[in-house]
Amino acid sequence: MTPPRPFLKVTAPMLDNKLQKTLFHLTSQLTTYFPRGGAWFFDHTIPHLLGNPFLVDLVARQNLERIRKVKKFERILVIPDIHIGDAVMLQGAVYAFRAHFPDARIDFVIKKSVACLIEGNPVISNLYPLFTGVVFPEPADIESVKELVAENRYDLCFNCSPFFEDDSLFPPGQAILNFMTVAPRLIRNGLDRTGINHFLHQSYSFPDKLLRSSRNTFASRAFRGVDVFLSDGALRTAEQWLQASGIRPGKPLFFLNPDTASPYTLIPEHYQVELLKRVLRMDVEVLLGTAFTHKNIEQRILEGLDPQERRRVVLVPTSLPIDAYTALIDKADVFVTGDTGPLHIAAARKRSKSGNSEFRNRTFVVSVFGATPAHMSGYDSTDPLFPPANQDAPSRTFVSESPCRNITCVNKMAKTCQKVRCYDRLDVEGMAGEISDYLEKTKA
């Protein structure tokens, strides 16, 4: 029996912004007044609907059919979402296509501000820094992508952005593989507690599996993670800043990023203060980032320390360019952050654009999660359901306790919860203990 046509249209454009806002506002209202009951309801209905085996298989067959219809793979465009972390993570798709098609032209569209970290990646044929929006693409960004696709006549567009879901944005007949269609599989994996759901991992494995199944091609190498590429000048700027800041050479360096793009992913100030107090008992140098989004949070954190503790904390200014900031992370022995772009920068392998500089790649990356699903963005070398950071060091993810966390929290930008309950309890003592243990091992 053929299912009804509307059900088959699983790759239809996403709900318009107004409807999305209304629906997610209603989910936020329900969990505001009934935190545990609302969370239970959403987690026991939505996953079983969207992750049911029939839908998972249906979407997989549709994607396989799309790939089989592509006659050649000489020109491929990868469109990530506009955020910095997405530009870093979703390079995984470029690595997958390059592994299967070593001679293809594989282009990548990114946010302008992150171009200095992606330029120089040899697996990318052409880099297009077109995105200028902060949270959402500007109308000009969308037009630029439309023009790029129309001019270059790509054999395939791998679209990872929810803002380009409308097929009318692409020329008629354009072959499109939509990363959003992996959602039923991710939900099924979550129900079964199998497979890695991380966006980085899936950006590689999703096209890789389709190509293996449809074209009998095989990737030429195993995928360990993505890279960022830094100039000699970025490294010099980071080193000069460290020297001017009075950081003692030879001492372990701890770096805390206090900021995130959303209140639902922001580590509460009192937990950040508690963590710093515990770290300051160790024989380490301490860096504290300066916020872009939650203005002056670093000053409020400093006010929670006593004067002697405060004198040992060095603020990293927002004036430091993003590539120098990335080189500074590489200097750190430990980097702690919530779910935000710098997490993925920290987890990426640092490489020299010129080949003349050397990077440590020995940063212990610690990620702290509130509302958002940790399995989709966190790094943990101790848990097989997470990918490890692409560093020669361990990585750990800590998830706070929350009475209302549920599947709808994945869209943090659309949530409107009146009270942030994402961090009802966070194991700061355990986090500090693992940091201390790691630093002790590095001394040995």
Side-chain angles (χ1 to χ4, degrees):
M1 178 179 176
T2 303
R5 185 64 182 172
F7 184 72
L8 276 170
K9 192 65 175 175
V10 294
T11 57
M14 292 184 69
L15 302 171
D16 63 78
N17 284 337
K18 185 176 181 181
L19 183 54
Q20 281 194 68
K21 289 178 180 178
T22 301
L23 289 176
F24 279 95
H25 175 69
L26 291 175
T27 67
S28 303
Q29 288 293 98
L30 183 60
T31 53
T32 292
Y33 294 106
F34 307 100
R36 297 187 187 279
W40 184 93
F41 173 76
F42 292 129
D43 284 343
H44 285 76
T45 54
I46 296 174
H48 291 282
L49 289 172
L50 300 183
N52 74 81
F54 176 77
L55 182 59
V56 172
D57 291 342
L58 174 63
V59 175
R61 289 197 302 271
Q62 289 181 337
N63 283 329
L64 197 57
E65 187 62 27
R66 282 190 184 86
I67 287 294
R68 284 174 174 160
K69 288 181 178 179
V70 179
K71 295 180 181 178
K72 60 185 185 332
F73 290 84
E74 295 175 359
R75 292 174 174 238
I76 301 168
L77 177 67
V78 177
I79 308 171
D81 205 353
I82 73 164
H83 303 109
I84 291 173
D86 296 304
V88 174
M89 278 194 296
L90 297 176
Q91 290 180 99
V94 181
Y95 285 70
F97 287 115
R98 179 62 68 203
H100 286 270
F101 307 109
D103 298 323
R105 169 181 168 180
I106 304 174
D107 297 347
F108 196 48
V109 181
I110 59 167
K111 191 181 184 78
K112 285 187 177 180
S113 61
V114 77
C116 60
L117 301 183
I118 311 296
E119 289 168 347
N121 189 334
V123 303
I124 298 172
S125 302
N126 297 291
L127 188 67
Y128 294 100
L130 300 180
F131 296 137
T132 60
V134 178
V135 178
F136 305 106
E138 297 292 335
D141 299 348
I142 295 175
E143 287 302 315
S144 294
V145 174
K146 286 175 63 177
E147 291 174 7
L148 177 70
V149 175
E151 289 173 3
N152 288 282
R153 299 181 181 180
Y154 290 101
D155 300 315
L156 177 68
C157 288
F158 183 55
N159 178 30
C160 306
S161 173
F163 305 109
F164 294 91
E165 291 289 291
D166 190 343
D167 289 353
S168 68
L169 296 174
F170 296 94
Q174 174 64 62
I176 304 167
L177 179 63
N178 199 317
F179 186 47
M180 300 298 124
T181 60
V182 80
R185 167 47 61 193
L186 300 189
I187 294 171
R188 188 71 247 168
N189 286 349
L191 288 170
D192 296 339
R193 297 287 296 170
T194 58
I196 298 177
N197 276 355
H198 199 282
F199 291 128
L200 165 65
H201 174 85
Q202 287 293 335
S203 71
Y204 182 93
S205 65
F206 175 55
D208 175 56
K209 289 176 181 177
L210 284 175
L211 291 168
R212 287 174 184 267
S213 299
S214 65
R215 308 189 68 84
N216 294 320
T217 58
F218 295 93
S220 59
R221 63 173 184 171
F223 179 63
R224 293 190 56 190
V226 295
D227 310 297
V228 292
F229 292 80
L230 300 174
S231 66
D232 300 337
L235 181 58
R236 281 195 303 272
T237 299
E239 291 174 339
Q240 290 167 359
W241 182 86
L242 279 173
Q243 186 175 12
S245 300
I247 297 296
R248 294 175 295 171
K251 290 292 182 181
L253 186 60
F254 173 89
F255 192 169
L256 172 62
N257 170 41
D259 199 22
T260 61
S262 164
Y264 309 118
T265 58
L266 183 71
I267 308 169
E269 293 169 22
H270 67 278
Y271 284 136
Q272 299 203 48
V273 170
E274 182 183 348
L275 178 61
L276 278 180
K277 282 182 171 289
R278 291 178 181 274
V279 169
L280 286 164
R281 297 172 193 165
M282 309 172 196
D283 186 20
V284 295
E285 297 290 276
V286 176
L287 302 180
L288 177 63
T290 302
F292 282 93
T293 304
H294 296 87
K295 297 293 186 182
N296 298 318
I297 188 175
E298 70 283 351
Q299 295 298 335
R300 295 191 294 274
I301 290 171
L302 288 176
E303 289 169 4
L305 304 175
D306 64 42
Q308 186 175 357
E309 293 169 330
R310 207 175 299 145
R311 284 193 291 271
R312 289 186 53 199
V313 178
V314 178
L315 289 179
V316 179
T318 56
S319 58
L320 199 67
I322 190 172
D323 54 352
Y325 179 89
T326 302
L328 188 61
I329 292 176
D330 186 66
K331 295 289 185 182
D333 295 278
V334 180
F335 183 76
V336 179
T337 180
D339 180 15
T340 191
L343 166 61
H344 308 295
I345 290 174
R349 193 122 188 131
K350 283 70 180 177
R351 299 194 183 276
S352 170
K353 289 183 180 181
S354 68
N356 297 324
S357 299
E358 292 187 6
F359 294 93
R360 298 169 68 249
N361 288 302
R362 294 198 303 271
T363 303
F364 178 21
V365 178
V366 179
S367 50
V368 182
F369 279 75
T372 46
H375 285 100
M376 291 185 174
S377 300
Y379 301 85
D380 197 314
S381 53
T382 70
D383 190 329
L385 295 181
F386 286 81
N390 197 8
Q391 296 285 293
D392 299 327
S395 46
R396 285 285 280 121
T397 289
F398 289 84
V399 182
S400 65
E401 292 181 11
S402 170
C404 53
R405 182 188 293 114
N406 64 85
I407 190 171
T408 69
C409 297
V410 68
N411 192 347
K412 60 182 181 290
M413 294 302 179
K415 298 291 282 185
T416 59
C417 304
Q418 294 177 21
K419 182 178 181 181
V420 178
R421 294 190 177 99
C422 308
Y423 294 88
D424 264 21
R425 183 181 178 278
L426 182 63
D427 185 13
V428 177
E429 181 179 358
M431 193 187 315
E434 292 202 25
I435 291 169
S436 178
D437 290 345
Y438 173 72
L439 292 177
E440 286 298 320
K441 288 177 184 176
T442 60
K443 292 179 183 178

